[in-house]
């Protein structure tokens, strides 16, 4: 039995796992009375991230379902960064969901 975690790029076959993580997080947040993420899942963002190779899954080393997903890319929100801050020289975390 392997210990630890495995992190790998998501593939199109993993999209249901990514969606399941989102739904579980939405349900948990709602159960706490929080309105965060209480909107329809933006499937186009998930498809784009998977197809672009920027969506990742974290899985237990011992096997089993994914325990987290994260999208990591170089897309900086221009409303948050000035050009002199060199936003194109960094990576950005989007859609971090943990089971």
């Amino acid at each position: 039995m392997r210990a630890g975690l495995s992190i790998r790029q998501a593939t199109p076959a993993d999209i249901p796992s990514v969606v399941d993580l989102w739904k579980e997080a939405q349900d948990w947040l709602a159960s706490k009375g929080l309105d965060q993420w209480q909107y329809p899942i933006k499937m186009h963002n998930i498809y784009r991230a998977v197809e672009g190779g920027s969506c990742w899954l974290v899985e237990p080393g011992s096997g089993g379902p994914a325990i987290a997903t994260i999208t990591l890319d170089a897309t900086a929100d221009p409303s948050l960064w000035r050009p002199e801050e060199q936003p194109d020289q960094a990576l950005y975390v989007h859609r971090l969901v943990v089971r």
Side-chain angles (χ1 to χ4, degrees), residues 24-88:
E24 187 175 315
Q26 286 176 325
D27 292 346
W28 183 84
L29 289 164
S31 77
K32 301 296 180 192
L34 302 171
D35 64 358
Q36 183 179 6
W37 293 355
Q38 301 306 306
Y39 50 79
I41 295 172
K42 297 176 182 174
M43 294 300 296
H44 64 281
N45 285 340
I46 294 173
Y47 286 117
R48 184 173 48 234
V50 170
E51 290 170 1
S54 61
C55 182
W56 298 80
L57 286 177
V58 180
E59 299 169 323
S62 59
I67 59 172
T69 182
I70 186 171
T71 297
L72 185 65
D73 64 32
T75 304
D77 183 338
S79 68
L80 300 175
W81 301 98
R82 297 183 309 257
E84 62 270 18
E85 293 177 302
Q86 300 178 327
D88 57 334

